[in-house]
Amino acid sequence: MYPFRTFISATALSLIALPAFAGEQYVDPTGFAASGHDVVAYFDLDQSEVGAPQPKAVPGRADITTEWNGATWAFSTAENRETFLADPERFAPQYDGHCAYGVAKGGKVPGNPNLWRIVDDKLYLNITEAVVGFWSEDIPGNITLSEGNWQQLEAAPASDGAIPAFTSMAPVN
């Protein structure tokens, strides 16, 4: 009985001591994660068929924010902020807001908040419309590649690049 109790205690202590698994969040010049867009709101948008443009991301508000994973997150409603705080890893974009196809190819490049897709209840961003096309050719295969590459990439610094053809706007008050 005691060896089992010791095992459980040691396991619990080791889990407490583990570092967070999130890497450095991509933050563009707005100073906000996801360029100030409400990451919870994606899950309420009607997702388009693969190959069709997605609805635009919902801008957050500068007066409804929280800190998580070393970044400031903005939300369109206080309710969405509370939903995020209850389970941030569910709503935050995969790969710390970097382009999912870029991670599949072995690098960290910015994710554009308007080029998104939810797959298996996870939010993925891509960098350009052309990249969305490559990503869409084999989404499950690209996710598998991304997951494998992320283990090596996660600890690397966040991308400091700009999102091409994207005008970042700070959240509104």
Side-chain angles (χ1 to χ4, degrees):
M1 179 90 170
Y2 289 109
F4 180 73
R5 210 181 279 170
T6 303
F7 170 76
I8 295 297
S9 296
T11 302
L13 286 174
S14 70
L15 291 174
I16 293 168
L18 286 175
F21 287 106
E24 194 176 328
Q25 189 69 44
Y26 174 70
V27 175
D28 77 358
T30 63
F32 290 88
S35 301
H37 291 84
D38 183 337
V39 294
V40 173
Y42 286 102
F43 293 83
D44 293 328
L45 294 173
D46 290 329
Q47 185 164 232
S48 300
E49 294 292 322
V50 172
Q54 294 284 47
K56 295 287 185 191
V58 176
R61 293 177 42 147
D63 61 338
I64 306 175
T65 63
T66 194
E67 299 294 318
W68 183 77
N69 194 27
T72 303
W73 300 77
F75 301 91
S76 57
T77 67
E79 180 181 80
N80 280 6
R81 177 180 57 199
E82 296 309 311
T83 299
F84 178 83
L85 287 170
D87 191 1
E89 290 186 10
R90 175 174 179 243
F91 296 101
Q94 298 300 293
Y95 318 120
D96 298 324
H98 292 91
C99 172
Y101 189 72
V103 173
K105 293 301 179 186
K108 282 185 171 182
V109 296
N112 182 329
N114 286 316
L115 301 175
W116 60 276
R117 177 149 303 279
I118 295 172
V119 179
D120 296 330
D121 210 34
K122 295 180 180 178
L123 174 60
Y124 296 90
L125 304 179
N126 280 284
I127 188 169
T128 65
E129 290 180 15
V131 166
V132 170
F134 298 131
W135 167 255
S136 298
E137 288 175 4
D138 183 9
I139 293 172
N142 284 316
I143 290 173
T144 297
L145 288 172
S146 296
E147 290 297 315
N149 289 340
W150 190 242
Q151 295 174 11
Q152 289 76 39
L153 292 172
E154 186 173 14
S159 173
D160 61 359
I163 302 168
F166 177 76
T167 304
S168 291
M169 295 175 58
V172 296
N173 282 329

